[in-house]
Amino acid sequence: MGAHATDHGPTDLAAMARAALVREIDASGAWDADPVWREAFASVPRHLFVPYYYVGAEDGYERLWGEDPDPRRRVRWLRGAYTDSPLATRVRDGRLVSSSSQPSLMAKMLTELEVRDGNTVLEIGAGTGYNAALLAHRLGDDLVTTIDLDPEITESARQHLAAAGHRPTVVTGDGARGCPERAPYDRIIATCTVTSIPRPWLAQCNPGAHILTPLATGLIDLRVRDTEHAEGHFLHTPAYFVPLRGTDRHEPEPTGDGCLPRRAVQHESFRFLLALTWGILDPHEAVALWESAEHPERERYGVSVSGEREWAWLDDPEGPYTWTLR
């Protein structure tokens, strides 16, 4: 889309921008393991899910929207809707409440979810509805449920989904409690960060189900054995999401310590360890572990759930480096 982008109609602009986004995600390799997702991203119009969003400005946030009377600002909104970047969609009192995730990260997460035809999926965090639309495009509306605590968010998601021709089940409720009335599920995917794995998720899964959720600053991919047992490794991919809001859910305290060595705090792999063990492991002990373990990347860490016990670990669930999460 060049200098004469406003000469094109909005439908043409959207198609051009969407095609460019698909090419960009394709080049990233995000869906190489399951290229069927390419067709979903090529078909579902992201701009219908972000009729407005916010971009950073000197005095906070600037709102861009599709009904702006200025045609050039409408083009800016449309082009921004198809950039491979997260979009802030709800801001309250200067605080980000909801967003549309980076499309290439969404593609990576959906690919890692390893969905199969006929799978039932629960999404924790409805957001704009875009991720639910991608799932519904692949699996069908009847097999997809998405839940969010905020009724304004769920109502907007329903409207966006309907505009795009999809009607999966959209539920207003506490995502930490899952959605038992639609269980059991073959896959659960969360688009918000948790500090531990909510037990209702396991209880609502079929044996062999996958749970993929942000935790600390990574993505944990759990395989569910039964209602009380699950285990898995973190993906290599960094992930920064807004926290899950709901009953008994608490945001983690901010990480960082001015007394820690710069060689550690400037390294992404150490910041992940610090976030994963914050409030559990002394930060200086974390530095010593990080150095002795030769700067381990995310995929060397994992999480195990067994009954009431839940713990994170490095290299081995029963090894010397474990941290209780509950």
Side-chain angles (χ1 to χ4, degrees):
M1 293 164 61
H4 301 289
T6 52
D7 295 339
H8 298 278
T11 301
D12 290 340
L13 288 176
M16 293 164 59
R18 187 160 67 251
L21 174 61
V22 168
R23 288 193 298 271
E24 186 173 355
I25 299 174
D26 210 11
S28 76
W31 50 48
D32 282 356
D34 191 0
V36 176
W37 286 112
R38 186 183 197 282
E39 199 276 329
F41 279 82
S43 299
V44 178
R46 191 188 190 201
H47 71 280
L48 295 182
F49 295 87
V50 286
Y52 63 87
Y53 56 87
Y54 300 88
V55 295
E58 289 185 5
D59 56 350
Y61 288 96
E62 175 189 5
R63 185 175 186 264
L64 298 178
W65 60 304
E67 301 299 322
D68 196 299
D70 184 337
R72 292 192 177 274
R73 286 181 61 83
R74 291 199 302 272
V75 169
R76 185 181 168 203
W77 159 80
L78 187 57
R79 296 173 77 170
Y82 287 101
T83 57
D84 186 26
S85 60
L87 299 174
T89 54
R90 287 183 183 270
V91 177
R92 291 177 185 162
D93 300 322
R95 178 173 173 267
L96 177 62
V97 174
S98 185
S99 65
S100 178
S101 302
Q102 181 181 9
S104 60
L105 179 57
M106 296 172 67
K108 177 68 173 174
M109 291 176 68
L110 290 168
T111 298
E112 293 289 347
L113 198 60
E114 296 183 351
V115 298
R116 300 293 180 263
D117 291 346
N119 281 169
T120 52
V121 179
L122 171 63
E123 179 192 30
I124 310 296
T128 66
Y130 181 48
N131 201 54
L134 294 165
L135 285 161
H137 180 87
R138 170 113 185 225
L139 297 170
D141 291 348
D142 292 344
L143 298 178
V144 177
T145 302
T146 184
I147 186 169
D148 203 287
L149 184 67
D150 191 323
E152 291 184 7
I153 289 177
T154 51
E155 180 56 32
S156 292
R158 286 189 193 96
Q159 294 175 8
H160 301 158
L161 284 157
H166 292 290
R167 286 178 172 79
T169 299
V170 181
V171 177
T172 302
D174 184 355
R177 296 176 178 174
C179 185
E181 61 270 27
R182 294 276 294 169
Y185 304 104
D186 299 303
R187 303 288 187 270
I188 292 181
I189 182 171
T191 56
C192 42
T193 298
V194 298
T195 55
S196 62
I197 307 302
R199 290 301 186 275
W201 294 4
L202 270 66
Q204 294 167 30
C205 279
N206 284 316
H210 292 209
I211 295 176
L212 182 64
T213 182
L215 194 156
T217 62
L219 293 167
I220 185 67
D221 185 10
L222 296 173
R223 302 301 194 269
V224 178
R225 193 175 83 199
D226 54 41
T227 59
E228 293 192 346
H229 298 85
E231 188 169 277
H233 282 84
F234 281 88
L235 306 184
H236 179 76
T237 310
Y240 299 87
F241 287 82
V242 295
L244 173 66
R245 295 177 297 131
T247 304
D248 297 328
R249 312 308 296 172
H250 304 282
E251 297 182 22
E253 296 183 34
T255 60
D257 187 326
C259 298
L260 297 178
R262 181 176 298 181
R263 67 182 181 280
V265 296
Q266 291 184 341
H267 204 291
E268 173 69 23
S269 66
F270 174 73
R271 293 198 300 272
F272 170 72
L273 172 61
L274 199 61
L276 181 64
T277 61
W278 189 255
I280 304 170
L281 184 66
D282 179 271
H284 295 279
E285 293 178 1
V287 172
L289 170 59
W290 178 73
E291 291 183 334
S292 66
E294 299 181 340
H295 308 170
E297 297 295 339
R298 282 176 174 81
E299 60 267 36
R300 286 178 59 186
Y301 297 89
V303 168
S304 297
V305 180
S306 179
E308 291 301 312
R309 186 184 175 212
E310 178 177 348
W311 68 102
W313 41 266
L314 173 63
D315 292 332
D316 182 352
E318 304 301 332
Y321 304 116
T322 64
W323 308 280
T324 299
L325 295 182
R326 292 181 68 89

